[in-house]
Amino acid sequence: MRNRLLTLLGFCFLFILAGCEKEPTPVERLEAYVDLWNKHDFTQMYNQFLTNETKQEFDTANFIDRQDKLIKDLAIDDLEVTYTKPDQETEWDPKEPAAFNIQVKMNTLAGPVSFEKKLVFIHETHDEEENWFANWDPSFIFPELDAKDTVGIATIESKRGEILDRNDQPIAINGKGFEVGIVPGKFDDARKAEFAKSIGVTPEFIDKQLNQSWVKPDYFVPIAKMARTDANLLDSLIAIPGVTYQKTPMREYPYGEALAHLSGYIGKITAEQLEEKKDQGYKESDLIGRQGLERLLEDRLRGQDGIRIFIKKPDVGAEPVVIAEKPATDGETIHVTIDADLQKLIYDSMKGEPGTSAAVDPKTGETLALVSSPSFDPAHFMLGMSGERYKQLSEDPLQPLFNRFAAAYAPGSTMKPITAAVGMEVGTLNPAEGIVINGRTWQKDASWGNYKVSRLHPEAPNPMDLKKALIYSDNIYFAQQALKMGRQPFIDGVHKFGFGETMPFALNLSASQISNDGKISSEGQLADSSFGQGQMLTNILHLASMYEAFLTDGVIYKPTLYAEEEKGQVWKKDVLSADHASVMRSNLRSVVVDGFAQAANLPDIPLAGKTGTAELKATGEGRGQENGFFVTYNSENPTLLLAMMIEHVEDNDGSGYVAAMAAEVFKAYHAKLQ
């Protein structure tokens, strides 16, 4: 009996305590509501804190689902809702609304958003429980948002940066191209196959485009895009009845083939690139640098698209209300040291022959031209090339897709001035001392076995000094000089010119080498190396740069490609003395005046330089391939130093063929400067 009484008293006590619990104040309800808001807990906010009127007007889809979706779609984070605390003495009348000033801040994918609002709590009874509940409408998401409005996201497109040459000439720019198409009602269907073949599509593709549901007889139906460099083809196409075109924004490569291997091109991003750059905001539809400078400079050229978050009103003609906007950031405009007009002069002078050229300013190290011939139109790759056309290019025996200025070649006799410089610096070569050389071939002694050094001009007069040896390009003279100085002094000497190391250059070029292992294993190999044969290789830019030393009294500058780079940075110094450099300048002028490069002996432009022919061993019977070289400059005004190589000159007058091409460049360049 006593236990039952105690239990009854306990229940009565708990009932009294429950009855004495104080109802939360509006401030306490606001505090709990704001806490849920900051946590994005819209379900609890809806179920426990909204007035009856609010719930009648806005269901869970309009309150919970909509806000959850906007949080995700707009990448909203760092949401911070605060409120202005009322005075502690404030008395709350259940018959009157309780109003509070709130502040809302958040970050979105378009930038920060902040606003202030007045939030009102009403005292109501819900499920027989009295409490304070919040009035809500969509303006608490964004102040200008109404129930029937929609929130949109727009991309603000950025512009890709442009590549300009040293004279502001366009190398890769945002220009115009053509969209060629058909007006069905005027089209001569009998010429469909002709038209399709000309633009690299199939007749079936044209039919598919013309049979789209929206097409009408007088509508323009786009079929393909064409670059401005295809203007001549476009003229022939629009002669077909019903074929016309519209201009369209497009990346332009105004110098086309002449600069293709250097400029590269953009194209649709590949699956591999998309995976590699998935964290950098690339999309499947994006264009990206695929080759050359376009690829190398992608991070700088690529713009950053902007984003705009806006409210779209349902009223016809209503202007959208911008909530937040991150402006687009265009890519950089990048100037290179290249002279695009000079580059085109050089490319045209090579007449489509397979070869490469490099031009530098010998007083600064700036790269003025880097040419690979033959080449291709980069716009065709940008627009998407047909498999048939790509097959033609890739199987072309002249290899237009092969970038020759990035490769290394045996330099042949253009190496002889370097050998001479090394010999003079070592002290074993006296340029005035003559050597008697007889016959077409020579070997040191019987230990050489069948190996002999051959020369092209056995008629050269004795005694043979350095000047005559350069004029007659005498292999035997330079072989003897190399043996006289010895293997290691020769290796050390050519190392001073940069052999055996990668050039400090923006592009990845094959390093020049003395041999495959960097050593010279025999006297025969030393002899071959002295005149640029054996396993000796050099890239064309390094070859041009090495000749700077003869014009700068022993300095080779770091080759630069970007205008922003400091000019005249010393890469190699004390390569040879001023006296020896003077000797070389005099002799290189004599090579052109008295030697076998008479095509370069111009009356108004005193060229100096050295020819060279590198023989590649035949793989079968018959004569091997010969590559012809010429390195040259204006001896009175050496602002342009040009190195040129043409493959397969064995049937084209050897290196004299190359000298004639180089002379054409200097004549045109000289005329341009007048």
Side-chain angles (χ1 to χ4, degrees):
M1 181 68 180
R2 185 169 177 271
N3 289 339
R4 291 177 61 189
L5 182 61
L6 289 173
T7 302
L8 180 62
L9 288 172
F11 277 119
C12 291
F13 180 72
L14 291 173
F15 179 78
I16 292 170
L17 284 177
C20 293
E21 281 187 6
K22 294 178 64 177
E23 180 183 294
T25 66
V27 175
E28 291 170 335
R29 289 287 281 175
L30 170 65
E31 188 176 61
Y33 182 81
V34 166
D35 183 59
L36 292 173
W37 194 348
N38 282 322
K39 294 176 179 177
H40 306 170
D41 192 345
F42 303 115
T43 300
Q44 292 292 343
M45 292 169 68
Y46 187 88
N47 292 335
Q48 298 180 15
F49 284 89
L50 297 187
T51 64
N52 287 321
E53 182 182 354
T54 298
K55 288 184 175 181
Q56 288 174 3
E57 188 171 355
F58 304 103
D59 59 15
T60 56
N62 284 304
F63 185 88
I64 300 172
D65 297 346
R66 188 180 197 186
Q67 293 193 82
D68 280 338
K69 189 173 189 305
L70 287 173
I71 291 286
K72 181 179 179 181
D73 292 349
L74 306 183
I76 293 174
D77 61 10
D78 295 333
L79 177 64
E80 181 184 359
V81 183
T82 57
Y83 60 91
T84 304
K85 292 184 178 181
D87 295 337
Q88 291 184 352
E89 293 80 15
T90 302
E91 295 185 3
W92 305 103
D93 185 350
K95 297 179 181 179
E96 298 293 332
F100 302 94
N101 291 322
I102 63 167
Q103 302 83 38
V104 180
K105 296 179 181 179
M106 68 187 81
N107 285 326
T108 73
L109 50 76
V113 174
S114 63
F115 58 89
E116 292 190 9
K117 287 279 291 181
K118 189 175 291 293
L119 178 61
V120 174
F121 277 76
I122 306 294
H123 194 270
E124 291 184 345
T125 301
H126 289 194
D127 298 327
E128 299 183 357
E129 180 184 346
E130 293 185 355
N131 214 328
W132 294 90
F133 297 90
N135 265 341
W136 182 90
D137 62 58
S139 67
F140 285 95
I141 301 175
F142 297 115
E144 300 88 353
L145 187 64
D146 292 328
K148 295 182 180 180
D149 296 344
T150 56
V151 177
I153 303 172
T155 298
I156 306 170
E157 289 190 3
S158 60
K159 294 180 181 178
R160 186 173 180 84
E162 299 185 326
I163 305 174
L164 306 179
D165 85 339
R166 65 190 299 110
N167 301 312
D168 291 325
Q169 293 302 304
I171 291 176
I173 59 168
N174 303 314
K176 297 285 186 181
F178 308 113
E179 193 161 41
V180 62
I182 292 171
V183 178
K186 300 178 181 179
F187 183 57
D188 182 355
D189 200 61
R191 302 183 68 177
K192 184 194 304 179
E194 172 193 348
F195 176 60
K197 183 177 181 181
S198 297
I199 60 174
V201 301
T202 63
E204 291 75 20
F205 175 78
I206 293 177
D207 289 337
K208 181 181 178 181
Q209 297 303 102
L210 296 179
N211 289 329
Q212 295 176 91
S213 59
W214 59 267
V215 174
K216 293 184 179 181
D218 58 343
Y219 279 16
F220 172 79
V221 182
I223 302 297
K225 289 184 177 180
M226 298 176 62
R228 197 188 291 263
T229 49
D230 288 323
N232 291 335
L233 174 59
L234 182 67
D235 288 341
S236 66
L237 292 177
I238 61 177
I240 300 173
V243 175
T244 186
Y245 70 93
Q246 295 177 351
K247 289 186 177 180
T248 186
M250 187 179 295
R251 192 73 163 173
E252 279 193 64
Y253 302 97
Y255 288 87
E257 295 182 356
L259 270 155
H261 284 284
L262 183 59
S263 70
Y265 52 86
I266 60 171
K268 188 175 180 181
I269 191 168
T270 64
E272 292 78 10
Q273 287 175 315
L274 190 60
E275 175 64 24
E276 179 186 338
K277 297 179 177 291
K278 60 185 177 183
D279 298 329
Q280 299 178 33
Y282 283 90
K283 307 181 297 295
E284 288 184 5
S285 59
D286 282 345
L287 297 175
I288 190 172
R290 297 285 294 275
Q291 291 293 337
L293 290 174
E294 287 277 34
R295 181 171 184 171
L296 182 66
L297 298 171
E298 171 66 20
D299 291 343
R300 296 177 62 184
L301 293 171
R302 182 195 180 204
Q304 293 294 327
D305 289 345
I307 298 176
R308 180 183 297 117
I309 299 174
F310 62 93
I311 295 172
K312 186 177 180 180
K313 301 290 183 180
D315 304 328
V316 177
E319 290 291 324
V321 179
V322 176
I323 299 171
E325 181 173 296
K326 181 175 74 173
T329 303
D330 293 338
E332 292 183 51
T333 295
I334 300 174
H335 283 80
V336 292
T337 59
I338 298 295
D339 183 330
D341 289 334
L342 172 63
Q343 173 110 1
K344 190 171 188 309
L345 281 177
I346 297 171
Y347 182 80
D348 290 346
S349 77
M350 295 170 73
K351 300 177 176 60
E353 296 275 14
T356 182
S357 295
V360 297
D361 184 333
K363 296 181 179 179
T364 65
E366 293 170 282
T367 306
L368 303 178
L370 273 177
V371 179
S372 181
S373 173
S375 187
F376 56 90
D377 189 335
H380 294 167
F381 278 88
M382 173 188 67
L383 294 172
M385 185 176 293
S386 68
E388 180 182 355
R389 176 57 181 149
Y390 181 78
K391 187 172 183 289
Q392 290 175 352
L393 286 172
S394 60
E395 294 180 355
D396 188 326
L398 297 182
Q399 297 180 282
L401 301 182
F402 176 49
N403 183 1
R404 289 173 165 86
F405 67 68
Y409 298 85
S413 294
T414 57
M415 183 65 194
K416 289 171 181 173
I418 312 302
T419 299
V422 172
M424 287 190 291
E425 289 297 300
V426 170
T428 57
L429 190 156
N430 180 347
E433 181 182 350
I435 300 174
V436 175
I437 302 175
N438 295 310
R440 182 178 292 274
T441 62
W442 171 82
Q443 64 177 190
K444 178 185 174 184
D445 53 42
S447 67
W448 283 18
N450 293 327
Y451 173 75
K452 295 180 180 180
V453 177
S454 300
R455 59 176 177 164
L456 188 61
H457 298 286
E459 76 280 6
N462 280 313
M464 183 72 67
D465 59 14
L466 177 59
K467 179 178 178 180
K468 290 179 185 177
L470 287 169
I471 290 172
Y472 287 92
S473 199
D474 197 290
N475 290 347
I476 296 176
Y477 175 90
F478 288 97
Q480 291 184 3
Q481 292 296 340
L483 265 64
K484 190 175 180 182
M485 72 179 82
R487 299 182 207 177
Q488 197 56 49
F490 177 81
I491 291 173
D492 294 342
V494 296
H495 276 163
K496 291 177 66 176
F497 277 84
F499 277 86
E501 63 181 279
T502 301
M503 289 185 77
F505 190 57
L507 302 181
N508 184 21
L509 307 180
S510 296
S512 299
Q513 66 174 45
I514 298 170
S515 66
N516 296 338
D517 60 5
K519 302 175 182 178
I520 294 179
S521 58
S522 68
E523 290 180 332
Q525 187 179 357
L526 177 59
D528 280 343
S529 300
S530 72
F531 45 84
Q533 294 277 186
Q535 296 175 4
M536 182 162 278
L537 300 173
T538 181
N539 67 67
I540 196 70
L541 180 60
H542 186 201
L543 181 59
S545 297
M546 285 190 285
Y547 275 63
E548 291 174 1
F550 306 136
L551 302 173
T552 60
D553 292 341
V555 172
I556 300 176
Y557 293 110
K558 173 188 173 183
T560 56
L561 183 60
Y562 305 130
E564 66 206 36
E565 294 180 87
E566 180 185 349
K567 302 175 185 177
Q569 298 180 60
V570 175
W571 178 36
K572 301 292 179 182
K573 63 179 180 178
D574 301 326
V575 170
L576 76 167
S577 69
D579 288 343
H580 293 157
S582 177
V583 169
M584 292 308 304
R585 289 194 296 272
S586 174
N587 288 340
L588 290 174
R589 173 61 179 151
S590 296
V591 168
V592 174
V593 174
D594 302 319
F596 297 90
Q598 286 304 302
N601 191 13
L602 305 177
D604 301 324
I605 308 171
L607 295 183
K610 183 69 184 77
T611 54
T613 304
E615 183 177 346
L616 282 63
K617 302 300 182 183
T619 55
E621 294 184 1
R623 187 178 178 185
Q625 175 183 327
E626 293 181 1
N627 294 339
F629 289 82
F630 189 43
V631 184
T632 185
Y633 56 89
N634 183 333
S635 61
E636 291 184 358
N637 184 25
T639 58
L640 168 63
L641 200 164
L642 172 65
M644 181 181 289
M645 184 276 290
I646 299 294
E647 298 175 9
H648 290 287
V649 297
E650 57 269 17
D651 298 320
N652 285 318
D653 190 30
S655 56
Y657 182 63
V658 187
M661 291 178 172
E664 289 300 316
V665 172
F666 274 86
K667 285 191 286 188
Y669 188 68
H670 181 76
K672 175 189 170 186
L673 297 178
Q674 298 305 304

